[in-house]
């Protein structure tokens, strides 16, 4: 059941199910969503640079699982360090290609089949799974999650049930033969009871040793007029812009680093 905060969020079914991402980008850009995209871009680039360069030197692809990927802006950020402005330019020009795609393998998960199909047409999603994030995973998806190097669940946490997110983290960390990274975020305005402490990484990695956490704050986006009215009905005045808390979890190997 959706929280009262999530119910207040503007519904964008028509935007997320369009055959292309430009309507999504323009709507998001009008609300200054670039803050949150660029926050992840800068944060992840800093933390992943040495790891990815080392894998490139060994001719090993970095495996990404992008859950709640939409049209793939987070994947493009992880691979090519594209800013929000560059994402818009990339999506507007079908002739452009992801420059570093050959060094990455991307598994994309989202409810929108149209968004997934677009990422495949542009050749930056290797495989896709159209599903609700709380549904049971297929055996094929489970294997891709276990073997991945990076788990990205950005701007999707408000749709997760807590036990479903725990299962995703546990599955990702069930194979610890190599370093692993998790990136996800928390937008207090759209989480149940605005409760940050229930969703911090320490909750989900409690049984997973040798994991360290880093955190970054950014702005999320401007609230829509509809969202302001919905919050006001519940007696909440949250200002004009939503806050974003970005979490990064780095987990060291626990098993011999045999080639996967």
């Amino acid at each position: 059941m959706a929280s009262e905060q999530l119910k207040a969020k503007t519904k964008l079914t028509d935007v997320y199910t369009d055959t292309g991402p430009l309507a999504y980008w323009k709507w998001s850009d009008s609300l200054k969503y670039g803050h949150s995209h660029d926050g992840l871009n800068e944060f992840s680039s800093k933390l992943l640079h040495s790891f990815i360069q080392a894998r490139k030197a060994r001719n090993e692809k970095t495996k990404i699982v992008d859950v709640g990927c939409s049209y793939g802006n987070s994947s493009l950020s992880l691979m090519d360090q594209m800013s929000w402005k560059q994402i818009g330019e990339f999506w507007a020009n079908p002739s452009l290609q992801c420059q570093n795609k050959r060094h990455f393998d991307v598994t994309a998960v989202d409810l929108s089949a149209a968004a997934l199909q677009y990422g495949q047409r542009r050749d930056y999603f290797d495989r896709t799974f159209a599903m609700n994030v709380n549904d049971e995973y297929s055996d094929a998806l489970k294997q891709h999650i276990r073997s991945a190097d990076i788990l990205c669940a950005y701007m999707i946490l408000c749709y997760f049930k807590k036990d479903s997110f725990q299962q995703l983290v546990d599955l990702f960390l069930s194979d610890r033969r190599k370093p692993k990274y998790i990136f996800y975020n928390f937008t207090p305005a759209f989480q149940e009871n605005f409760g940050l402490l229930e969703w911090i990484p320490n909750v989900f990695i409690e049984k997973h040793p040798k994991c360290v956490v880093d955190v970054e704050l950014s702005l999320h986006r401007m609230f829509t007029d509809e969202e302001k009215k919905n919050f006001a009905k519940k007696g909440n005045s949250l200002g004009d812009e939503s806050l974003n808390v970005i979490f990064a979890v780095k987990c060291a190997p626990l098993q011999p680093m045999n080639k996967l």
Side-chain angles (χ1 to χ4, degrees):
M1 185 175 184
S3 70
E4 291 302 318
Q5 284 73 35
L6 184 54
K7 289 177 183 177
K9 191 175 184 182
T10 296
K11 305 298 184 293
L12 293 170
T13 303
D14 56 335
V15 172
Y16 288 128
T17 57
D18 200 353
T19 55
L22 291 182
Y24 161 72
W25 189 91
K26 290 176 181 177
W27 182 89
S28 301
D29 191 59
S30 72
L31 295 174
K32 300 182 180 179
Y33 177 79
H35 290 312
S36 53
H37 173 89
D38 291 341
L40 174 66
N41 186 36
E42 294 165 11
F43 191 35
S44 62
S45 297
K46 176 179 62 177
L47 295 176
L48 292 172
H49 178 76
S50 296
F51 172 72
I52 291 174
Q53 291 304 312
R55 293 188 66 83
K56 285 182 180 179
R58 298 193 299 268
N59 292 317
E60 295 176 350
K61 287 189 176 184
T62 297
K63 298 179 181 179
I64 298 171
V65 172
D66 192 350
V67 178
C69 59
S70 185
Y71 294 94
N73 52 293
S74 294
S75 289
L76 291 168
S77 171
L78 291 168
M79 289 186 286
D80 270 17
Q81 295 77 54
M82 288 189 196
S83 68
W84 180 245
K85 180 181 178 181
Q86 290 170 326
I87 292 289
E89 294 169 349
F90 178 84
W91 280 340
N93 187 346
S95 68
L96 295 178
Q97 295 182 330
C98 179
Q99 297 301 306
N100 288 303
K101 177 62 186 70
R102 66 187 183 280
H103 300 296
F104 292 87
D105 179 274
V106 180
T107 298
V109 182
D110 199 85
L111 189 60
S112 172
L116 295 172
Q117 290 164 7
Y118 178 83
Q120 282 198 304
R121 288 198 304 273
R122 294 294 299 268
D123 292 325
Y124 53 83
F125 289 161
D126 291 280
R127 67 199 60 82
T128 62
F129 295 85
M131 58 177 289
N132 184 296
V133 293
N134 297 299
D135 290 346
E136 185 176 351
Y137 302 146
S138 67
D139 289 341
L141 178 54
K142 287 179 181 178
Q143 182 54 41
H144 288 299
I145 294 171
R146 287 192 193 99
S147 65
D149 303 290
I150 300 169
L151 172 63
C152 181
Y154 201 60
M155 292 298 162
I156 190 66
L157 192 67
C158 59
Y159 298 103
F160 265 102
K161 295 177 182 177
K162 192 173 180 182
D163 60 345
S164 296
F165 191 69
Q166 181 69 69
Q167 289 170 13
L168 174 63
V169 171
D170 291 345
L171 183 60
F172 177 65
L173 295 179
S174 64
D175 189 330
R176 296 284 297 276
R177 288 178 283 175
K178 56 185 178 179
K180 295 205 165 196
Y181 291 83
I182 303 171
F183 293 92
Y184 75 99
N185 74 301
F186 182 94
T187 49
F190 300 116
Q191 293 290 154
E192 187 172 4
N193 300 320
F194 312 106
L196 175 62
L197 293 181
E198 294 182 8
W199 292 91
I200 59 174
N202 307 62
V203 173
F204 302 103
I205 62 172
E206 183 178 8
K207 65 181 182 181
H208 299 286
K210 295 189 177 181
C211 292
V212 295
V213 176
D214 204 347
V215 63
E216 186 90 0
L217 297 179
S218 79
L219 296 173
H220 171 204
R221 61 165 173 78
M222 306 295 291
F223 290 118
T224 65
D225 290 340
E226 177 189 5
E227 288 165 346
K228 290 179 183 179
K229 290 177 182 178
N230 290 338
F231 284 127
K233 289 177 184 177
K234 299 296 180 180
N236 298 313
S237 178
L238 303 181
D240 293 323
E241 192 155 11
S242 172
L243 176 69
N244 183 38
V245 184
I246 310 172
F247 294 113
V249 182
K250 178 182 178 181
C251 296
L254 294 182
Q255 304 158 8
M257 291 181 65
N258 298 326
K259 190 175 180 63
L260 296 179

